[in-house]
Amino acid sequence: MTRLLLAVTMILAWIAPARADDISAAGRGVVRIVTIAMVDGEVVGFGHGSGFAVAPNRVLTNAHVVEAADRYPGNVMIGVVPSEGDKSFQGRLIAIDPVRDLALIEFSGIRLPPLTFYNGPVNEGDAMIALGYPGNVDLATARTAADFITPLSPVRSQGVFSGRRDLQGVQVLLHTAGIARGNSGGPLLDGCGRVLGVNAALTRADDGDASFGFAISNEEVAAFLRESKQPMPANGVACTSIAERLAQDRSEAEKARMAEEVRQREAAARAADDRDSAIQQARSANIVTRENYMAAATLLLVLGALAIGAGGLFLTRGQQREAIWTASGGGVLMIGAIVTFFMRPAFDAKAIEAGAPIAVPAAIATGGLGKMVCSIDPARSRITVSDTRDQSIDINPDGCVNGRTQYAEAGQNWQRILVPDEEQTVSVLEYAPTTRTYSVTRYLLSAKQMGEARKRRAEVKVKACSAEPAARADLAAKQQVIRTALPPVFNERLVYSCKPAG
C-alpha cells in the first residue's frame, strides 16, 4: 500500500507560470486533497477535493472530502498535493466536524504559505474568486490516475456575492463564482486573496436554472478552528487593489511635490519681502547718517565762523593773545566742518542692495534615530495578509536595527531585504529618518522565484551589524542584485509613522 502511494507521488509535475497577483499568491497555499481506499493492497476507491493551508503544515478542507478516511482510517489514505513542486505528501486527519462540513489535515515534508481570512464586512455584489480543482476539468484533462496526484496550479473562477443563507443550520455565503465537484474545500477569496469562506456545495442548474455556489462562512470556520486549537490568521482591512494603491502613491507624490513647490514659493516671497525691508531700512539709515554728518559739519562751520569773528573782536580791543587763541580754535572748527562734510556716507543704491542680508528659508525639520514606536498608516498602506500591530525599532547612525540587523544606505534612507528560508515571501524593510517613516514591502513569490532570491541572498556577506562603510556598500550592492529577482509590482506594503519611544 505504502509502496504504491510513494511510487505515484514521485511523478514529476508541470508547473504553470505564476501570475504576479494576489490570487496567484494565495493559490500557492491551495492543495488538492486525494483519498485512496485500499483493500488487500488493491485500490478500491478514489476521491478528491480541494483544500488550503491555515498553517505551514496544516490544511483545511470539507469533511465530506475526507469522510471515508474518518470512517475507515486503516484502509483510506489521504494525499496532499500542493500547487507547486514535484511530489505529493501523505496527510493525517486531526479534526473533523460533519455538521459544519469542515476538516483539518496535518502533513509533513513541505511548508505551505498559509492563507489569511478576511473578517470585515462583505456587501452584495462584491467580487469573489474561487480557487480549487474542479472535477469536470480534471476529467477532461487527466490522462491517468497519476495526474490527480501531480502538483498543478488551481483553477480560478470569478463571480459576485449574492447574500447569506442558512444551509442545514450552517451559515453560508451564496455566490456566483463557478465551482464544480472537486472544488469542495477550496477557498472563496476577495480581490486581495483573503479567504471569505470555504466552498462546500453548489445548486444544480436544471432546465436552464442558474447555478450558485455555497461557501461555509468564516464565522463557522473560526468556531471550528477554535475548537481544533488552530490559530486563524485574519484581518479586516478593506481591500485596495495594487492599481489603486499605485495610483494613490502617484497622487500623494504629486500632492507632496505641489506642496513643496508652494512652500518654496512662499519661502522665496518671504525672503524677498525680508530683503526689501532690509534694503529700505538700510537706505533710511544711510540717509539719517548723511544728514547727521551734514548737520554736524554745519554746526562746526558756524561755530568756527563765530570763533574767528570773536578773535577779530579781541584784536580790535588790543587783546592779541586772546585773539590768536580764539581765531585758531575757529580755524580748527572750520577744518573739522570741512572734514566732517567730506566724510559723510555716500548714497549708493547698488552697494546698499548688495550689502542687504539674504533670508534663507528654514530647512524642513528632520526626524531622528534611536528607539522608535511605529504605528500603521492605513491611508498609505496596502494590507492583505499581515497584522497591523505597532512595530518597535531601534536604529543607530550606522544603520544597525535592534542591535542585530544591518541595513544599507538607500539614498537618505536605510534599507534591508529579507529572504527567509521557510516562507515564500521576500520583504523589503526601509526606514526614512527625515520623515520617521518605516515601511515593509512584501512580495509573495513562487517556489522558483524564491529559489532564485535565496541563491542571490547567499552572496550577501554582511550577517550582523557593521560600522564599516565598505561592508554596508557591499550589502547595498548585493541587495540590488536581489531586487532584480523580484517582480515589478509588490503584493503588500505596510507604511508606519514613527515617533520616539517614551
Side-chain angles (χ1 to χ4, degrees), residues 452-469:
E452 181 63 27
R454 288 178 183 128
K455 183 171 66 175
R456 300 188 183 196
R457 180 206 57 188
E459 300 176 1
V460 176
K461 298 178 181 178
V462 178
K463 303 299 181 182
C465 290
S466 173
E468 294 295 329

Side-chain angles (χ1 to χ4, degrees), residues 191-378:
C192 285
R194 296 172 298 189
V195 180
L196 300 170
V198 181
N199 285 313
L202 68 157
T203 61
R204 298 189 62 177
D206 295 335
D207 300 325
D209 292 339
S211 176
F212 290 88
F214 295 101
I216 301 168
S217 71
N218 281 351
E219 291 83 1
E220 301 283 2
V221 174
F224 169 71
L225 293 179
R226 186 166 54 250
E227 293 168 3
S228 304
K229 296 181 173 53
Q230 172 60 49
M232 177 179 172
N235 71 50
V237 181
C239 179
T240 301
S241 70
I242 295 177
E244 290 173 336
R245 179 69 267 164
L246 293 176
Q248 290 175 8
D249 289 345
R250 288 192 294 268
S251 176
E252 290 172 3
E254 180 64 17
K255 289 179 181 178
R257 184 187 64 80
M258 294 177 65
E260 178 61 18
E261 289 181 355
V262 171
R263 188 192 72 84
Q264 291 181 358
R265 286 197 297 268
E266 291 176 347
R270 289 195 299 270
D273 291 343
D274 292 343
R275 179 172 170 78
D276 290 342
S277 177
I279 291 173
Q280 186 62 38
Q281 291 176 4
R283 287 177 175 175
S284 298
N286 180 274
I287 292 173
V288 170
T289 303
R290 282 172 56 86
E291 290 178 348
N292 289 339
Y293 268 80
M294 294 179 68
T298 301
L299 178 62
L300 292 174
L301 183 63
V302 170
L303 292 176
L306 291 175
I308 292 175
L313 181 60
F314 283 129
L315 187 62
T316 59
R317 293 179 179 179
Q319 296 174 315
Q320 185 174 3
R321 184 176 180 179
E322 288 80 356
I324 293 174
W325 281 106
T326 304
S328 299
V332 171
L333 291 173
M334 295 288 286
I335 294 172
I338 295 172
V339 172
T340 301
F341 178 79
F342 283 106
M343 287 182 64
R344 74 190 188 281
F347 184 79
D348 187 346
K350 292 183 178 180
I352 291 174
E353 292 180 4
I358 299 175
V360 179
I364 298 177
T366 59
L369 301 174
K371 294 182 179 180
M372 296 283 170
V373 176
C374 305
S375 301
I376 195 71
D377 185 350

Side-chain angles (χ1 to χ4, degrees), residues 12 35 137 265 301 450-451 464:
L12 295 179
T35 57
V137 173
R265 286 197 297 268
L301 183 63
M450 283 302 302

Side-chain angles (χ1 to χ4, degrees), residues 399 406-410 413-416 471-473 475-477 479:
Q406 180 64 53
Y407 282 41
E409 287 94 337
N413 300 342
W414 292 100
Q415 187 181 95
R416 184 64 189 255
R472 296 200 302 268
L475 174 61
Q479 290 193 152

Side-chain angles (χ1 to χ4, degrees), residues 7 10 61 72 125 158 176 181 209 212 229 233 250-251 340 453 486:
M10 293 302 293
T61 188
Y72 308 106
Q158 185 165 335
T176 63
R181 295 181 180 84
D209 292 339
F212 290 88
K229 296 181 173 53
R250 288 192 294 268
S251 176
T340 301
L486 301 179

Side-chain angles (χ1 to χ4, degrees), residues 152-171:
L152 188 67
S153 59
V155 176
R156 72 171 74 187
S157 60
Q158 185 165 335
V160 297
F161 177 51
S162 302
R164 293 179 179 270
R165 294 292 188 274
D166 184 291
L167 185 63
Q168 298 177 355
V170 177
Q171 292 297 313

